[in-house]
């Protein structure tokens, strides 16, 4: 009986509902970028976000969960589109138990979901279990009733997750697994079963029973599986695969969701898609169409979650995806940047389940557009370089591994494209050399499947120590205890003076870095010892303090912990100012503004937000004024815990992509008529007046569509303001104004002169000096400035321009004057008029002007002038048009003369110049003029 459920959205929803009814919490998908985990580039499985829960270190208040997880795997990227199953981005449906239900329930529910909810034909399902997992075998066989010929016992590569982890790693939670296969019945070979590679039996669901903490293998290579003492469940079902089964199609790209994207690529490229064709040009088109769809979908999710194209790590992967998609769509005949047009189809197909992609689609489009256009430019250049490299290697059968590596890394050419193009010339890439270069390079940008756990006494003790209560909003000294002292990763009872330690406290007054606010610093003092705290970070609620033992030995036990209160106060001012800035941006630029990240420190703050273009100076001033106004009004800052729904109803601003618990902390500035209201766990002033002052230092782009403001508050702002006041006074003095109180005047002047505010005085001074020097030399009277500051600076610019022009025309006049005298020295030589002369005190420019003015004085004239003024020896040659036809081109003459004495030069046929390193040889060059002319005339 066909299932009632059909579309991908319906199937996703039915899965989550089914497991919610089994008591699983419907938990949101984690971000594609694993949090606090630099060792893993992307989320690769539904379990990633729960690994601590499996180990018993997690802090979620539930023991069952179900998710539809966004995943990205790029290790099989070359197979995408070619096979029926590979993707980069895909969705994994999962249900999880954290030491709650185990194998029996996991297997029964999986079976019930497939056969009852999705109504799949039970006779088309087969099972694999681990060779030694008799329990799973028994449940499938006896409780579910699967006949023995459809249950297969396999080893660690098939039925352990992560595959082969016991002998090859990675470390972390793992266990035996049992997989469920669907028979697509693509052939009728009775011997075909799930162990053959015909593609007929496809794994659709992996039920993992994590009950071990996989450790590095023993010295002899044998597995080192530590019993967790907890029985967990981690299941993963590829959504695209199960949709194939339900929708009766074979290729993942033929399900409704992906087809809607493929159709968009078909529309844009005008190329047909026909999944029934398996070979020839149409099959090649199918691959390209699928791949472009896959990559644009992956890019949309990556950018949405904050992975923007870059040169390392995650950014590099995103960049590669965009480049590969560009090459593919180019092969489909689309030569303009149009990938961004496909984003709409992804949003239409998936925003119901992942609303963030709708909210950030503009950013995705902008990013894709800019990156595709940039790559298309390098592509053109890369093709040229490849062409040249191919010429160099003409006739060879091996293409240099170094050249290939350079093309890949420097020019972003995908290697397989190079392989394809050199293959057309009958060559192959020198793989051995390429691999050597590549291995050196990829150490940083490798994708690891699951992170390796670094062990440390503090991390191990997380379950025992639990979350550290924070008792430091008021920054008062706190009596507490060191509960665990760690030196070099191990727990110790003593750490000597001079050692770097990490430690946990019973309760802490130190704010651990989070929500953009930097960590506190300060002192921890105990009986006979003192630790200077330099950092503190939160690990699943446990606050880990780091510091230097200044006086020792330090020991666990009673201590007084004191936060550096002055620094904290500076941090709170910047944090509260950040909230006001956020509100001001919304007021000034519009309601689309969302916080994209922030950094709150004692000396400054940084705030990233989305906006398609840069801010105008007027907008910056407006934002600054708004914030300062709210500071001066002195609004009370109210801090309240409330249920998340209530906070949302009140319209409190949340950080994009941030996950919050059910109770949230809300900061409201001006409780009567709020000027700002945000979710926030950070430290704040009690009244906005304490912020004292706010100044924006810089506004810039950090990525397509993302702007960053750097600003200062409190002492730093006042220092900046007083520094700026000094500058303004200096500028006022220079231009003869009484005062320049309004900071906007400085902005206006800076704009007029196109320099940053801080360079204004220096620039004005330099202009004035030049003006006075010129006026002195030219003996002219200056016209006095008056009026407003801007008028005065305008006037300064105009005066300078007038004087520069005056000097130029004077120079020209004097060049013309002295050249008249030279006319007497023209001699007749072989039917041409020849002037050879060495001029005193004319620089290169003056010499050029002379040649120019003399050239028109006679017909058939060749001039060769030399000069060595200003430390530079110069030759200048000019000829009249008629002589050019007779073989006397100025460029050629000056080149040969200069080269004869070690110089270089050239120019137009009528007029050319050369620089000469050794002025003492100018005479030599001039002596060579006549022989050269003779030679050229004879041609
Ligand atoms: N972690 C397992 C997998 O990725 C099951 O969710 O296949």
């Amino acid at each position: 009986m066909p299932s009632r459920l059909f579309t991908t959205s319906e199937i996703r929803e039915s899965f989550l509902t089914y497991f919610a009814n089994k008591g699983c919490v419907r938990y949101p998908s984690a971000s594609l970028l694993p949090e606090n985990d630099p060792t893993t580039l992307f989320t690769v499985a539904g379990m990633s976000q729960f690994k601590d829960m499996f180990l018993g270190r997690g802090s979620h208040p539930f023991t069952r969960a179900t998710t539809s997880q966004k995943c990205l795997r790029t290790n099989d990227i070359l197979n995408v589109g070619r096979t029926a199953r590979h993707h980069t981005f895909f969705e994994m449906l999962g249900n999880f138990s954290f030491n709650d239900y185990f194998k029996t329930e996991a297997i029964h529910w999986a079976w019930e979901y497939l056969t009852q909810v999705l109504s799949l034909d039970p006779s088309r399902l087969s099972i694999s279990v681990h060779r030694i997992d008799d329990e799973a075998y028994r449940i499938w066989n006896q409780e579910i009733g699967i006949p023995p010929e459809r249950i297969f016992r396999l080893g660690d590569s098939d039925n352990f997750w992560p595959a082969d982890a016991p002998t090859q790693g990675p470390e972390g939670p793992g266990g035996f697994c049992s997989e469920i296969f669907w028979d697509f019945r693509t052939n009728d070979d009775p011997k075909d079963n799930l162990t053959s590679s015909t593609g007929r039996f496809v794994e659709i669901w992996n039920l993992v029973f994590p009950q071990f903490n996989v450790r590095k293998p023993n010295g002899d290579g044998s597995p080192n599986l530590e019993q967790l003492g907890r029985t967990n469940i981690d299941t993963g079902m590829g959504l695209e695969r199960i949709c194939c089964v339900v929708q009766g199609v074979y290729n993942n790209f033929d399900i409704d969701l992906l087809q809607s994207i493929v159709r968009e690529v078909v529309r844009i490229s005008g190329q047909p898609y026909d999944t029934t064709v398996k070979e020839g040009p149409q099959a090649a088109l199918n691959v390209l169409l699928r791949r472009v769809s896959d990559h644009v979908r992956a890019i949309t999710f990556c950018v949405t979650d904050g992975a923007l194209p870059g040169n390392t790590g995650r950014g590099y992967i995103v960049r590669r995806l965009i480049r590969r998609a560009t090459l593919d769509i180019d092969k489909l005949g689309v030569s303009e940047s149009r990938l961004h047009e496909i984003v709409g189809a992804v949003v239409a197909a998936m925003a119901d389940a992942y609303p963030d992609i709708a909210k950030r689609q503009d950013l995705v489009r902008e990013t894709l557009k800019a990156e595709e256009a940039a790559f298309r430019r390098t592509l053109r250049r890369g093709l040229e370089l490849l062409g040249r490299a191919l010429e160099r290697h003409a006739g060879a059968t091996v293409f240099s591994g170094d050249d290939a590596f350079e093309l890949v890394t420097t020019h972003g050419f995908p290697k397989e494209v190079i392989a394809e193009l050199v293959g057309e010339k009958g060559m192959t890439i020198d793989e051995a050399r390429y691999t050597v270069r590549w291995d050196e390079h990829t150490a940083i940008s490798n994708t690891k499947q699951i992170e390796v756990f670094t062990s440390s006494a503090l991390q191990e003790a997380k379950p025992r120590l639990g979350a550290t209560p924070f008792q430091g909003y008021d920054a008062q000294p706190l009596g507490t205890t060191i509960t665990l002292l760690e030196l070099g990763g191990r727990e110790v009872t003593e750490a000597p003076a001079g050692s770097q330690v990490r430690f946990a406290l019973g309760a802490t007054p130190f704010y651990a870095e989070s929500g953009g606010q930097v960590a506190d610093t300060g002192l921890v003092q105990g009986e006979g010892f003192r630790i200077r705290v330099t950092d503190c970070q939160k690990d699943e609620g446990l606050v880990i303090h780091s510091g230097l033992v200044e006086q020792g030995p330090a020991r666990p036990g009673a201590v007084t912990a004191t936060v550096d209160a002055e620094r904290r106060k500076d941090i709170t001012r910047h944090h509260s100012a950040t909230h006001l800035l956020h509100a001001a941006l919304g007021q000034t630029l519009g309601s689309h503004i969302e916080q994209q990240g922030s950094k709150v420190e004692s000396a400054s703050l940084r705030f990233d937000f989305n906006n398609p273009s840069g801010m105008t100076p007027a907008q910056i001033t407006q934002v600054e004024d708004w914030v300062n106004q709210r500071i001066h009004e002195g609004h009370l800052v109210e801090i309240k815990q409330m249920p998340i729904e209530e906070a949302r109803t009140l319209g409190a601003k949340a950080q994009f992509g941030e996950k919050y618990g059910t109770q949230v902390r809300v900061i409201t500035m001006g409780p009567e008529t709020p000027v700002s209201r945000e979710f926030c766990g950070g430290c704040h002033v009690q009244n906005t007046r304490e912020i004292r002052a706010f100044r924006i230092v810089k506004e810039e782009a950090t990525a397509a569509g993302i702007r960053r403001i750097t600003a200062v508050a409190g002492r730093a702002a006042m220092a900046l303001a007083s520094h700026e006041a000094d500058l303004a006074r200096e500028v006022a003095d220079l231009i003869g104004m009484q005062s320049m109180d309004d900071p906007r005047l400085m902005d206006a002047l800076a704009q007029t002169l196109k320099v940053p505010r801080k360079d204004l005085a220096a620039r004005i001074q330099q202009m004035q000096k030049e003006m006075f020097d010129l006026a002195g030399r030219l003996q002219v009277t200056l016209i006095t400035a008056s009026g407003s500051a801007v008028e005065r600076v305008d006037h300064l610019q105009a005066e300078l321009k007038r004087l520069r022009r005056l000097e130029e025309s004077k120079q020209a006049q004097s060049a013309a004057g002295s050249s008249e005298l030279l006319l007497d020295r023209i001699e007749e030589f072989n039917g041409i008029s020849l002037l050879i002369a060495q001029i005193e005190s004319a620089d290169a420019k003056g010499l050029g002007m002379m040649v120019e003015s003399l050239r028109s004085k006679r017909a058939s004239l060749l001039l060769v002038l030399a000069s060595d003024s200003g430390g530079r020896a110069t030759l200048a040659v000019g000829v009249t048009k008629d002589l050019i036809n007779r073989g006397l081109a100025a460029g050629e003459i000056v080149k040969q003369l200069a080269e004869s004495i070690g110089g270089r030069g050239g120019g137009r046929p009528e007029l050319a110049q050369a620089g000469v390193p050794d002025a003492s040889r100018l005479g030599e060059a001039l002596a060579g003029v006549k022989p050269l002319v003779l030679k050229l005339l004879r041609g």
Side-chain angles (χ1 to χ4, degrees):
M1 187 187 76
S3 163
R4 278 179 304 109
L5 302 164
F6 195 77
T7 66
T8 302
S9 292
E10 285 167 353
I11 292 168
R12 188 194 295 113
E13 184 55 34
S14 80
F15 182 95
L16 298 171
T17 311
Y18 175 85
F19 281 99
N21 288 335
K22 299 291 182 201
C24 295
V25 170
R26 269 184 79 147
Y27 203 66
S29 168
S31 161
L32 266 185
L33 318 185
E35 279 163 45
N36 306 327
D37 188 357
T39 61
T40 308
L41 289 184
F42 291 100
T43 300
V44 295
M47 60 79 72
S48 304
Q49 65 171 330
F50 297 123
K51 59 172 206 301
D52 274 353
M53 291 293 287
F54 291 136
L55 295 172
R57 299 174 184 164
S59 57
H60 290 308
F62 48 79
T63 55
R64 299 177 177 197
T66 181
T67 61
S68 165
Q69 174 64 48
K70 307 177 268 189
C71 300
L72 190 83
R73 295 186 185 178
T74 53
N75 35 351
D76 276 328
I77 193 167
L78 295 185
N79 282 328
V80 175
R82 291 188 205 284
T83 70
R85 308 282 161 237
H86 284 96
H87 301 279
T88 54
F89 175 92
F90 65 98
E91 290 177 78
M92 191 184 278
L93 299 173
N95 59 292
F96 308 90
S97 149
F98 314 113
N99 203 25
D100 186 339
Y101 64 86
F102 199 47
K103 279 183 209 182
T104 309
E105 294 87 343
I107 292 175
H108 277 271
W109 292 344
W111 188 256
E112 185 180 57
Y113 176 71
L114 293 175
T115 58
Q116 303 299 312
V117 180
L118 297 184
S119 314
L120 302 188
D121 174 358
S123 74
R124 291 175 74 172
L125 293 164
S126 312
I127 307 299
S128 71
V129 297
H130 192 275
R131 194 162 282 132
I132 62 170
D133 191 355
D134 294 334
E135 189 188 0
Y137 188 95
R138 187 188 54 74
I139 298 170
W140 282 115
N141 178 237
Q142 293 176 17
E143 297 183 14
I144 306 284
I146 309 283
E149 64 273 19
R150 281 201 282 122
I151 310 180
F152 295 76
R153 286 176 180 264
L154 306 172
D156 281 353
S157 358
D158 296 289
N159 287 96
F160 198 95
W161 204 88
D164 285 322
T167 46
Q168 294 168 26
E171 296 185 78
F176 299 137
C177 63
S178 173
E179 298 186 326
I180 306 175
F181 290 73
W182 176 252
D183 177 1
F184 274 92
R185 291 202 178 134
T186 47
N187 63 46
D188 48 15
D189 180 354
K191 290 194 300 302
D192 202 356
N193 66 43
L194 57 81
T195 60
S196 51
S197 53
T198 51
R200 169 175 157 180
F201 291 85
V202 175
E203 177 225 321
I204 50 172
W205 201 342
N206 187 9
L207 315 181
V208 188
F209 318 123
Q211 61 189 108
F212 306 115
N213 188 11
V214 180
R215 297 298 202 162
K216 283 202 183 72
N218 298 314
D220 60 0
S222 62
N224 180 1
L225 300 178
E226 186 180 280
Q227 285 286 348
L228 280 173
R230 304 166 58 85
T231 44
N232 304 302
I233 289 297
D234 153 28
T235 86
M237 172 152 70
L239 176 62
E240 295 80 2
R241 290 185 184 197
I242 189 64
C243 288
C244 277
V245 173
V246 174
Q247 298 178 8
V249 295
Y250 184 72
N251 191 305
N252 285 9
F253 286 92
D254 294 337
I255 65 171
D256 61 326
L257 186 152
L258 285 166
Q259 269 302 297
S260 68
I261 306 171
V262 170
R263 273 197 304 274
E264 186 65 359
V265 189
V266 165
R267 184 189 68 76
I268 289 169
S269 64
Q271 302 287 0
Y273 177 81
D274 183 349
T275 195
T276 61
V277 181
K278 309 278 185 239
E279 269 167 35
Q282 177 60 55
L285 283 179
N286 292 345
V287 171
L288 294 172
L289 292 163
R290 289 175 190 142
R291 230 158 40 192
V292 171
S293 314
D294 171 273
H295 290 3
V296 173
R297 181 163 83 134
I299 294 157
T300 303
F301 278 88
C302 285
V303 174
T304 296
D305 280 357
L308 296 166
N311 284 331
T312 53
R314 292 166 178 148
Y316 178 66
I317 304 260
V318 178
R319 176 156 284 166
R320 272 197 88 201
L321 283 168
I322 299 180
R323 293 183 166 186
R324 297 181 56 96
T326 305
L327 285 164
D328 285 343
I329 198 165
D330 197 76
K331 282 199 199 128
L332 285 169
V334 179
S335 55
E336 311 265 280
S337 300
R338 294 186 66 187
L339 287 172
H340 61 276
E341 292 177 29
I342 305 163
V343 174
V346 178
V347 172
M350 300 185 71
D352 60 337
Y354 305 98
D356 287 354
I357 60 171
K359 287 198 207 144
R360 309 198 86 189
Q361 51 181 320
D362 289 344
L363 172 67
V364 178
R365 281 202 195 88
E366 299 266 330
T367 306
L368 200 43
K369 203 160 150 186
E371 188 73 14
E372 182 181 1
F375 180 54
R376 282 181 180 276
R377 285 192 294 273
T378 38
L379 192 60
R380 258 176 264 134
R381 169 144 177 76
L383 281 172
E384 274 169 34
L385 288 172
L386 180 65
R388 253 180 273 145
L390 280 171
E391 266 170 38
R392 269 205 309 283
H393 301 297
T397 53
V398 176
F399 185 83
S400 145
D402 289 308
D403 281 350
F405 174 79
E406 291 300 326
L407 281 163
V408 170
T409 50
T410 317
H411 301 284
F413 244 56
K415 172 150 173 265
E416 58 278 14
V417 180
I418 303 173
E420 212 174 291
L421 296 174
V422 306
E424 285 168 10
K425 306 271 178 211
M427 283 190 228
T428 52
I429 298 173
D430 177 352
E431 289 293 341
R433 176 68 195 152
Y434 182 88
T435 311
V436 169
R437 297 288 305 272
W438 187 252
D439 286 348
E440 290 165 6
H441 170 84
T442 42
I444 33 154
S445 43
N446 238 345
T447 330
K448 289 207 196 115
Q449 283 279 324
I450 298 276
E451 68 272 42
V452 175
F453 290 83
T454 44
S455 63
S456 96
L458 279 162
Q459 257 123 10
E460 299 273 332
K462 259 193 316 192
R464 173 163 63 81
L465 297 173
T468 315
F470 174 61
Q471 292 179 9
Y473 280 118
D474 59 0
Q476 291 300 312
L478 182 72
T480 176
T481 50
I482 295 185
T483 49
L484 195 157
L485 182 63
E486 188 191 271
L487 183 62
R490 300 189 180 286
E491 176 162 9
V492 292
T493 49
E494 256 189 36
S499 56
Q500 285 287 347
V501 291
R502 305 203 309 162
F503 57 94
L505 293 174
T508 187
F510 295 99
Y511 186 85
E513 171 163 6
S514 68
Q517 183 179 324
V518 290
D520 278 331
T521 58
L523 282 180
V524 165
Q525 283 161 295
E527 186 74 47
F529 71 87
R530 189 174 69 234
I531 306 174
R532 179 150 309 268
V533 178
T534 49
D535 189 21
C536 72
Q537 299 287 331
K538 223 189 282 179
D539 185 349
E540 286 272 338
L542 175 69
V543 176
I544 299 183
H545 308 78
S546 313
L548 173 73
V549 182
E550 286 187 335
Q551 187 197 343
R555 294 199 178 86
V559 288
T560 305
T562 315
V563 169
D564 178 343
E566 274 300 297
R567 181 170 173 277
R568 162 73 81 74
K569 187 80 209 184
D570 285 334
I571 296 171
T572 59
R573 291 192 181 102
H574 280 108
H575 204 152
S576 300
T578 305
H579 285 210
L580 287 177
L581 169 61
H582 190 177
L585 287 169
Q587 300 268 337
T588 310
L589 302 178
S591 58
H592 64 284
I593 295 300
E594 274 181 23
Q595 175 170 353
Q596 307 293 327
S598 71
K599 181 101 192 174
V600 176
E601 296 178 287
S602 60
S604 66
L605 68 89
R606 220 171 63 194
F607 186 82
D608 295 351
F609 58 101
N610 56 321
N611 201 40
S613 54
M615 290 171 69
T616 63
Q619 284 170 331
I620 292 179
T621 310
Q622 201 179 329
V623 165
E624 219 173 54
D625 287 352
W626 192 92
V627 173
N628 280 312
Q629 199 57 40
R630 303 294 90 77
I631 292 172
H632 294 138
E633 282 162 8
H635 296 275
L636 275 180
V637 177
E638 179 199 77
I639 300 178
K640 248 190 183 163
Q641 296 282 346
M642 58 178 84
I644 188 156
E645 296 75 28
E646 185 184 336
R648 290 204 199 281
T649 319
L650 287 173
K653 284 196 170 83
Q655 160 125 29
F656 189 86
E658 192 71 34
K659 263 201 225 116
Y660 298 93
T662 45
Q663 281 284 320
V664 292
R665 186 167 179 262
V666 174
I667 316 292
T668 308
M669 301 187 175
E672 317 285 74
T673 40
V675 294
S676 149
R677 182 171 264 155
E678 282 193 39
F679 291 40
C680 179
C683 302
H684 288 275
V685 298
Q686 292 172 346
N687 187 303
T688 58
R689 200 176 291 125
E690 293 165 47
I691 305 172
R692 295 201 242 168
F694 172 81
R695 290 292 272 157
I696 292 178
V697 180
K698 196 153 76 182
E699 192 269 352
E700 66 195 321
T702 59
I706 305 285
R707 311 295 307 177
R708 165 170 297 172
I709 281 182
T710 308
V712 286
R715 291 196 285 190
M718 313 235 294
L720 181 69
S722 105
H723 174 66
E724 290 195 337
D726 288 348
L727 275 180
R729 250 191 309 281
E730 202 181 332
V731 169
D733 279 352
L734 284 170
I735 59 177
M737 300 281 296
Q738 286 296 331
S739 75
M740 294 233 322
D741 283 344
D742 187 347
R744 264 163 290 204
L745 264 181
M746 289 288 279
D747 283 332
L749 296 187
Q751 252 179 310
T752 310
L753 293 180
K754 299 191 180 59
V755 290
R757 262 195 318 233
K758 66 177 182 26
D759 296 341
L760 208 46
R763 167 58 63 89
I764 292 175
Q765 220 161 9
Q766 172 221 333
M767 289 171 68
Q768 288 179 336
K769 179 173 181 313
E770 187 183 345
M771 182 177 73
F772 289 123
D773 285 353
L774 280 171
R777 268 210 303 280
L778 297 166
Q779 310 217 327
V780 296
T781 314
L782 288 170
I783 301 167
T784 327
S786 61
S788 72
V790 175
E791 280 164 349
R792 286 167 195 239
V793 167
D794 275 343
H795 174 80
L796 173 59
Q797 271 184 310
E799 269 297 84
L800 199 53
K801 211 154 144 197
R802 174 175 78 96
L803 294 175
R804 282 182 187 150
R805 243 191 274 126
L806 209 59
E807 181 167 74
E808 262 178 32
S809 72
K810 270 231 161 119
Q811 271 177 1
Q813 269 169 23
S814 89
S818 42
S819 28
E820 291 294 320
L821 301 173
L822 286 171
L823 289 176
D824 297 345
R825 296 175 52 183
I826 293 180
E827 53 183 314
E828 295 305 314
F829 177 76
N830 279 281
I832 64 172
S833 302
L834 184 61
L835 171 60
I836 305 174
Q838 183 148 356
I839 315 288
E840 301 306 320
S841 75
D843 58 8
K845 196 168 155 204
L847 206 62
M849 284 201 249
M850 265 185 203
V851 173
E852 184 81 74
S853 73
L854 284 170
R855 217 167 55 93
S856 54
K857 304 281 180 202
R858 293 279 160 86
S860 307
L861 178 66
L862 167 62
L863 298 132
V864 182
L865 303 186
S867 129
D868 72 340
S869 136
R872 248 191 85 200
T874 313
L875 280 171
V877 176
V879 300
T880 48
K881 271 235 168 62
D882 57 327
L883 291 188
I884 299 175
N885 301 333
R886 292 175 58 190
L888 298 175
E892 190 53 32
I893 295 173
V894 86
K895 181 165 173 269
Q896 295 209 20
L897 291 176
E899 280 174 4
S900 74
I901 56 167
R904 283 160 64 100
R908 292 182 286 131
E910 309 88 47
L911 206 64
Q913 283 200 347
V916 174
D918 183 359
S920 70
R921 296 184 67 188
L922 280 175
E924 210 179 303
L926 294 182
V929 173
K930 284 184 183 167
L932 178 63
V933 168
L934 279 179
K935 195 176 97 191
L936 291 173
L937 282 176
R938 293 202 189 108

